[in-house]
Amino acid sequence: MNSRRSASPDIEALARDLRAGHHAALARAITLIESRRGDHQAAARDLVQRLLSETGKAIRVGITGSPGVGKSTTIDALGMSLIERGHKVAVLAVDPSSARTGGSILGDKTRMARLSASDKAYIRPSPASGTLGGVAAKTREAMLLCEAAGFDVVLVETVGIGQSETAVCDMTDFFLALMLPGAGDELQGIKKGLVELADMIAVNKADGDNIKRANLAAGEYRGALHILSPRSEHWHPPVVTYSALTGKGIDTLWQNVLDHRTAMNASGEFAARRQQQQVKWMWSMLEQLTMTRLRSDASVRAKVKRIEAEVASGRVSPALAAEQISGML
Amino acid sequence: MNSRRSASPDIEALARDLRAGHHAALARAITLIESRRGDHQAAARDLVQRLLSETGKAIRVGITGSPGVGKSTTIDALGMSLIERGHKVAVLAVDPSSARTGGSILGDKTRMARLSASDKAYIRPSPASGTLGGVAAKTREAMLLCEAAGFDVVLVETVGIGQSETAVCDMTDFFLALMLPGAGDELQGIKKGLVELADMIAVNKADGDNIKRANLAAGEYRGALHILSPRSEHWHPPVVTYSALTGKGIDTLWQNVLDHRTAMNASGEFAARRQQQQVKWMWSMLEQLTMTRLRSDASVRAKVKRIEAEVASGRVSPALAAEQISGML
């Protein structure tokens, strides 16, 4: 990091450039959010607070899928289709396992060839951080900045490791699960937690020889979802097929996102979900702050680690351990 | 509460009587855990820490099911069957909606007529508390006390409201979901979150005219579970039918619990799950402590409520709000 970047930035100017939609300003602002320096974090809080009234207007869509499902190709195709409709599209990621390298950024741009070449799109790789909570917090704030910069669709992708899908679901309005075709025993299992989160299941690669298998897979997923209570009585998650390669079905994907929004707006669930998410973010960020405090000092960190080990081995009760850790805050 | 109860209890004597398996001592100890008085809470932490090495030996089974599924009849039948095998059975509950009344206790005893009459069983209703976190924390500690008192099977029932099933799953080794028979469109939906948690689905009322319908329901549940990835590669949740009324199938229920334990022990997952649970309890209790601090003072409580409202309405960013609340701790 060079010295100009390290200097405390002029938040007012940054906010102005960001509002004007300058990609470079947006990138600098997200870098500020991702910084671990105390003064940068204070400046980032200030920046987000200033821009807050200009956030919240995008359609926020979470997208999950195992490696190989064609997530990047799908986002590239969907993103280009949205740009043709006049949208500005931001693509963010929550990947707690990612190491932040030039290669990773280059990788994202290569994987989304058309979208990365468009000035109506902004692609940002996952922040690197030790914990999912930290990664998710930074991505949530990056999303707010993208909205303030005029992006009216935000796509948040995740690789579906551990709890990252829940984190992405908690920051988006619609959660889309991508699947591969397959039939019978070849059909890959749906991760159980995913079933609870998905607002739609979309089977990719419904093209050429795969169309029949994709339809079979969709039927099996429909059967599995059939006897599960939907999260909302106003939305039964559809199962659709599409092809990111040919573009067939991409419009239907988006139509479902819009239909979902219409239904959620009509029932009042849209506003309620956003409000609940915001309050949940607040408590989650309080937890982050607490954890940061416990990690910032080496001797405290060592003590917490020792107490954790004693709890795991059954020598100290969780209640006593919590009391001990609480005393260190 | 009379003055003798309010007096700071002699923890050493209480621990001794509890170890000897006196039900009255166990009841007093759990009451101590449930007390909100600071000195009682300190005494309770001391008590649990003293008894900690004598805990952890029970088979811990969580049982969920909607009202009307026959949960109490099932626990009564299963509990009596276990007592006949030489076990001592404790029955606890996590019901965040319960108000602690004499009527509620009487209700539990009436609902489990045979079990409540046995001196090999101990039945305790759900602690009353404002939050699920609080109820769960107290039930976890009550479970440890039951183990120290010599109960080698602990059944924790929950009504399945909101997140209470996750809380019970997080404190038990095996999570059993009870269902009613039904067929086709009559089949009640499985709550989505439940699918992720259940180690077994058991369809009750497989007796008389209902046998066919129970088998049909079991088949549908099997179909739904079929394409979901199991939580462990060493355990695929079975779907069984039984009748709490006739007792048919109750032994099979328990055999599955034992088979699960054997499989989890062989793979090392049993010990790993218990350790993870304990560490998770610790962090959860730290959160409880923090929330208690924020609620204990009326002016702090009012401030937190106002900040929450500002976050919900989008006037204050979650990060800034977390910083403000953190400053009050």
Side-chain angles (χ1 to χ4, degrees), chain A residues 11-84:
Chain A
I11 294 302
E12 186 60 50
L14 188 55
R16 191 184 55 233
D17 292 350
L18 192 147
R19 275 193 200 98
H22 295 168
H23 286 209
L26 177 58
R28 266 204 319 281
I30 297 180
T31 300
L32 192 66
I33 276 174
E34 293 177 357
S35 169
R36 289 165 186 240
R37 274 179 45 177
D39 57 335
H40 286 179
Q41 287 180 8
R45 272 196 301 276
D46 181 21
L47 178 66
V48 173
Q49 181 61 36
R50 273 170 198 249
L51 295 167
L52 202 61
S53 64
E54 289 140 89
T55 68
K57 287 160 198 155
I59 300 184
R60 303 165 174 177
V61 178
I63 302 182
T64 188
S66 307
V69 77
K71 211 157 49 225
S72 303
T73 335
T74 302
I75 291 172
D76 201 42
L78 176 60
M80 288 313 292
S81 156
L82 291 169
I83 286 170
E84 280 161 26

Side-chain angles (χ1 to χ4, degrees), chain B residues 5 27 30-31 34-35 97-105 122 124-129:
Chain B
R5 276 266 187 99
I30 297 180
T31 300
E34 294 177 356
S35 169
S97 68
S98 80
R100 179 76 164 292
T101 63
S104 161
I105 296 172
Y122 178 75
R124 179 92 181 185
S126 178
S129 175

Side-chain angles (χ1 to χ4, degrees), chain A residues 49 52 189-190 192 195 220 227-229 275 278-279 282-283 293 308 311-312 314-317 320 326, chain B residues 49 52 189-190 192 195-196 220 227-229 275 278-279 282-283 293 308 311-312 314-317 320 326:
Chain A
Q49 181 61 36
L52 202 61
I190 312 181
K192 288 185 178 182
V195 176
E220 290 222 19
I227 66 163
L228 300 171
S229 310
Q275 289 195 2
Q278 275 156 212
V279 171
M282 179 188 81
W283 291 109
R293 259 187 232 176
E308 252 192 341
V311 167
R315 284 192 301 275
V316 173
S317 79
L320 187 61
S326 178
Chain B
Q49 181 60 36
L52 203 59
I190 311 181
K192 288 186 177 179
V195 177
E196 185 174 16
E220 289 222 20
I227 66 162
L228 300 171
S229 309
Q275 289 195 4
Q278 275 155 211
V279 172
M282 180 188 81
W283 290 109
R293 261 187 231 177
E308 253 191 340
V311 168
R315 283 193 302 273
V316 173
S317 80
L320 186 63
S326 179

Side-chain angles (χ1 to χ4, degrees), chain B residues 43-309:
Chain B
R45 273 196 301 276
D46 180 22
L47 179 67
V48 173
Q49 181 60 36
R50 272 170 201 250
L51 295 168
L52 203 59
S53 63
E54 289 140 87
T55 68
K57 287 161 198 155
I59 300 184
R60 302 165 174 176
V61 178
I63 301 180
T64 187
S66 308
V69 77
K71 212 156 51 221
S72 303
T73 335
T74 303
I75 291 171
D76 201 42
L78 177 60
M80 288 313 291
S81 157
L82 291 169
I83 286 170
E84 279 163 26
R85 292 164 181 239
H87 288 293
K88 285 183 70 186
V89 179
V91 180
L92 306 174
V94 171
D95 177 5
S97 68
S98 80
R100 179 76 164 292
T101 63
S104 161
I105 296 172
L106 195 66
D108 282 333
K109 305 242 174 197
T110 310
R111 290 188 296 118
M112 302 173 200
R114 290 180 295 163
L115 209 55
S116 61
S118 167
D119 62 357
K120 305 285 184 203
Y122 178 75
I123 301 173
R124 179 92 181 185
S126 178
S129 175
T131 68
L132 172 61
V135 171
K138 285 162 187 173
T139 303
R140 284 197 301 260
E141 305 234 292
M143 181 171 71
L144 298 178
L145 295 182
C146 289
E147 291 181 331
F151 290 90
D152 57 357
V153 174
V154 180
L155 307 177
V156 186
E157 67 162 313
T158 181
V159 284
I161 293 171
Q163 294 296 303
S164 66
E165 284 169 336
T166 305
V168 170
C169 185
D170 279 348
M171 69 177 77
T172 53
D173 308 317
F174 188 95
F175 196 65
L176 167 61
L178 306 183
M179 298 284 173
L180 280 177
D185 287 347
E186 291 165 57
L187 191 66
Q188 81 275 27
I190 311 181
K191 285 196 296 312
K192 288 186 177 179
L194 186 58
V195 177
E196 185 174 16
L197 305 176
D199 292 303
M200 174 162 63
I201 288 178
V203 181
N204 190 12
K205 307 199 179 172
D207 44 45
D209 295 344
N210 276 323
I211 291 181
K212 199 178 159 189
R213 287 206 300 152
N215 287 335
L216 279 172
E220 289 222 20
Y221 290 131
R222 268 182 217 114
L225 292 183
H226 169 63
I227 66 162
L228 300 171
S229 309
R231 184 162 51 181
S232 160
E233 57 173 309
H234 301 102
W235 184 257
H236 291 256
V239 179
V240 301
T241 63
Y242 75 102
S243 166
L245 187 68
T246 67
K248 192 167 176 341
I250 288 284
D251 286 352
T252 310
L253 288 192
W254 191 248
Q255 191 54 50
N256 271 301
V257 174
L258 297 178
D259 290 349
H260 174 264
R261 180 138 177 162
T262 303
M264 294 299 102
N265 270 328
S267 69
E269 284 162 274
F270 182 81
R273 179 168 170 171
R274 282 272 180 107
Q275 289 195 4
Q276 282 158 11
Q277 285 178 335
Q278 275 155 211
V279 172
K280 198 170 171 183
W281 293 359
M282 180 188 81
W283 290 109
S284 150
M285 294 194 88
L286 180 63
E287 204 183 317
Q288 290 300 310
L289 276 177
T290 307
M291 296 308 283
T292 303
R293 261 187 231 177
L294 291 175
R295 270 194 299 262
S296 57
D297 180 88
S299 82
V300 170
R301 210 162 52 228
K303 272 186 214 157
V304 169
K305 206 167 174 182
R306 205 188 55 234
I307 293 173
E308 253 191 340

